[in-house]
Amino acid sequence: MKKILKMCTCLMMVLIIFQVGCASDQTNETYDQFISQLPEEQYYAFAELESAAYPVLLVTDQVYEYEEGVQAAISCEVYYLQEGEVVSIGEISSEGTAYPIRFSEQGVYTAGHHYAGKYNVDEKLGILSLEEYAEEVFEEGTGKETYFYTI
């Protein structure tokens, strides 16, 4: 009985691993097809976010050298895999070349002189959503600063 249980468990693990591998290959193939159709002079990066089941594709037509050997962008369109298709889920931008768009597993970040934003994929709504936002505002005339933080 133990042998049968072990064999069934092993078989189930192999099937699960195989299905995950196939889904991943299909995802890569779908993104590859989409990328192959982008116009020339389009640049892209993949962001692997904890909030997203699939990689997020960031596409721009303008990059600059942020550091030696490091290309960056201050605006991009964001694409995501939904129902087997790569679709646009939003656009983001930063305020200038001192604040390139960045990403980590926790989100995609934009910034400016007195603000910063963190975006993530909202799987239920199928959009890129602003998850956190911080801003410093100066009162006209007095210069008194006020700080806002939104979750």
Side-chain angles (χ1 to χ4, degrees), residues 42-59:
Q42 294 282 305
Y43 303 89
Y44 66 92
F46 284 105
E48 300 276 347
L49 306 179
E50 291 174 348
S51 68
Y54 306 106
V56 175
L57 178 63
L58 309 172
V59 178

Side-chain angles (χ1 to χ4, degrees), residues 61-119:
D61 61 354
Q62 296 180 343
V63 295
Y64 62 98
E65 188 169 53
Y66 181 68
E67 296 173 349
E68 189 173 332
V70 177
Q71 298 294 311
I74 60 170
S75 66
C76 67
E77 188 153 1
V78 182
Y79 294 91
Y80 191 63
L81 190 63
Q82 294 178 352
E83 298 178 12
E85 286 186 51
V86 179
V87 297
S88 175
I89 59 170
E91 292 181 29
I92 55 174
S93 62
S94 286
E95 200 165 329
T97 57
Y99 310 100
I101 294 171
R102 297 186 181 258
F103 56 87
S104 71
E105 290 178 345
Q106 286 74 43
V108 180
Y109 303 90
T110 61
H113 300 299
H114 301 283
Y115 75 90
K118 176 184 170 189
Y119 295 83

